[in-house]
Amino acid sequence: MYAVETHNLTRRFGSFVAVNQINLQIAQGSIYGFLGPNGSGKSTTIRMLCGLLEPSAGGGSILGLDLAQHAEQIKSRIGYMSQKFSLYDDLTVIENLEFYAGMYSLAADIKKKRIEEMLTMAGLKDRKTELTVNLSGGWKQRLALGCSILHKPPILFLDEPTGGVDPKSRRLFWDIIYKLAADGTTVMVTTHFMDEAEHCDQIGFIYEGNLIASNTPDVLKQGLPGVLLEIPASDPMNLLQQLITGQNSALDAYPYGTSVHLLVRREDLPDFQAYDYQVITPALEDVFVYYVKSQRKELVV
C-alpha cells in the first residue's frame, strides 16, 4: 500500500484547469519532492490531498483511506504546514503549542511530553515564553512544523515550507525532515528550490497543472538524451545567440549563471570543438528545463 496514491486527480476553477489528471504513487516512509514554479498547481494538489479542497474529477487515497469517502479520518492522520505559517503572533511559543495540542485532543500526559519534544526539536526551549511575533522566519518555520506534528502523524504535507527564510534555516529545517523520514514518517514537500530536492527519494515535476515527470533524482538525470556541456562565458546571452543562429546540432541550449548549457548527442561532440566546454552531470534544474521544453515541444529533438 502506498502512503499517497492518486488516479487522474483534477481540479478546475471555472474553465481554468489548475491540476490536470495527476497520478501519484508515494511509498511509505519516503520523502517526495513536488517541484514546480509558482502557479503550477503544487499547492492545489496538496490541498486536495489534505481534504481542504474537493477534486473536480479523479480521486485517490491517503494511507489506504479514500479521499472522497474518508476525508475526516484522513485529516486526523496527517500533518499539514501551509505556505503562510498558521501561527498566532499574539501567543507565546508554548501557548501556540498548547493550542494545537488541544486541537488534536491530546491527553494531558501525552500533551506535556510532546510539547517538550517539539521545543527541543525546534531549539526553542529557552524562548518558549517569547511572543511568536518576535521570532524570525526560521524560528517561526520550525515552530509551525512542531505544531503540525504534535500528534505524530504518519504522513506530513509541507507546502513551500522554506520560502522566505535564510539558507542556514533551510538546511536546519531539512535536517529535521530527514530525521522524521528516517523514523518512518512519509513526507510530501512542495518547493521551487531545486537544491532542496536533490536528496528526496523521489521527485515530481509539475508544470501548468501537469505532472511532467516523476522518479528518483538519479533516474531523472539519466533520462536526458546525449550529454550536457557547460561553456563558460563573460556574456552568456551573446554566446547563446551565437549558438542559436549558428547552424549547430545541439538539442537544446540555455543560459545557466555565467555559462551556457548545451544538450548534445554524443556523436555530435566534434561539432563543438571550437568551444571551451566541459561535460557535466545534469543538475535537477537542467532536468526540469528539459522536461518543460519537451512538454512545450520547444526542443530540437
Side-chain angles (χ1 to χ4, degrees), residues 61-251:
S61 61
I62 305 293
L63 303 167
L65 299 169
D66 185 84
L67 283 177
Q69 296 179 27
H70 306 112
E72 291 307 311
Q73 287 174 261
I74 288 171
K75 286 177 187 175
S76 69
R77 302 198 64 195
I78 66 172
Y80 171 61
M81 181 175 160
S82 65
Q83 287 175 305
K84 294 182 174 62
F85 302 134
S86 50
L87 298 172
Y88 294 92
D89 280 344
D90 55 345
L91 297 182
T92 64
V93 167
I94 196 162
E95 285 171 344
N96 264 295
L97 287 164
E98 286 172 342
F99 173 78
Y100 277 92
M103 290 280 288
Y104 296 129
S105 303
L106 296 185
D109 54 337
I110 295 173
K111 168 182 164 181
K112 183 178 179 182
K113 180 173 181 287
R114 287 298 289 161
I115 286 176
E116 282 301 310
E117 289 173 352
M118 293 305 97
L119 287 169
T120 300
M121 176 207 74
L124 285 164
K125 290 192 84 166
D126 295 333
R127 307 181 73 171
K128 62 184 180 183
T129 59
E130 190 169 331
L131 282 175
T132 302
V133 70
N134 296 329
L135 298 176
S136 68
W139 291 110
K140 281 186 178 180
Q141 170 202 58
R142 280 180 273 167
L143 175 58
L145 177 63
C147 290
S148 70
I149 61 173
L150 268 167
H151 57 312
K152 285 191 174 180
I155 183 165
L156 178 62
F157 293 97
L158 304 173
D159 190 10
E160 296 279 359
T162 57
V165 299
D166 62 272
K168 183 181 178 183
S169 294
R170 282 173 55 200
R171 286 194 299 272
L172 288 170
F173 189 85
W174 273 87
D175 287 342
I176 297 171
I177 293 176
Y178 298 143
K179 176 70 166 58
L180 288 168
D183 291 341
T185 304
T186 305
V187 181
M188 183 177 183
V189 54
T190 73
T191 181
H192 57 267
F193 294 116
M194 296 293 167
D195 61 313
E196 289 190 346
E198 287 283 353
H199 302 295
C200 292
D201 299 300
Q202 280 205 312
I203 296 166
F205 288 133
I206 185 170
Y207 181 72
E208 294 182 345
N210 296 290
L211 187 67
I212 58 177
S214 182
N215 217 311
T216 66
D218 285 345
V219 169
L220 288 171
K221 290 175 185 178
Q222 291 162 11
L224 265 65
V227 292
L228 189 66
L229 312 182
E230 183 173 76
I231 306 174
S234 56
D235 186 348
M237 294 307 295
N238 183 49
L239 175 58
L240 180 64
Q241 193 58 39
Q242 290 178 35
L243 289 162
I244 290 172
T245 56
Q247 299 287 322
N248 62 68
S249 53
L251 301 174

Side-chain angles (χ1 to χ4, degrees), residues 225-229 248-252 262-269 272:
V227 292
L228 189 66
L229 312 182
N248 62 68
S249 53
L251 301 174
D252 193 20
L262 280 176
L263 187 63
V264 305
R265 299 179 185 88
R266 189 171 294 277
E267 61 268 27
D268 292 333
L269 279 173
F272 302 92

Side-chain angles (χ1 to χ4, degrees), residues 12-59:
R12 301 184 191 90
F13 295 97
S15 61
F16 174 68
V17 182
V19 174
N20 185 31
Q21 299 187 355
I22 280 186
N23 295 295
L24 294 170
Q25 290 181 326
I26 301 175
Q28 293 190 21
S30 67
I31 302 175
Y32 188 90
F34 203 40
L35 278 74
N38 292 332
S40 58
K42 301 189 302 294
S43 296
T44 302
T45 302
I46 289 280
R47 291 175 67 201
M48 284 192 286
L49 295 176
C50 291
L52 302 174
L53 199 60
E54 279 189 30
S56 303

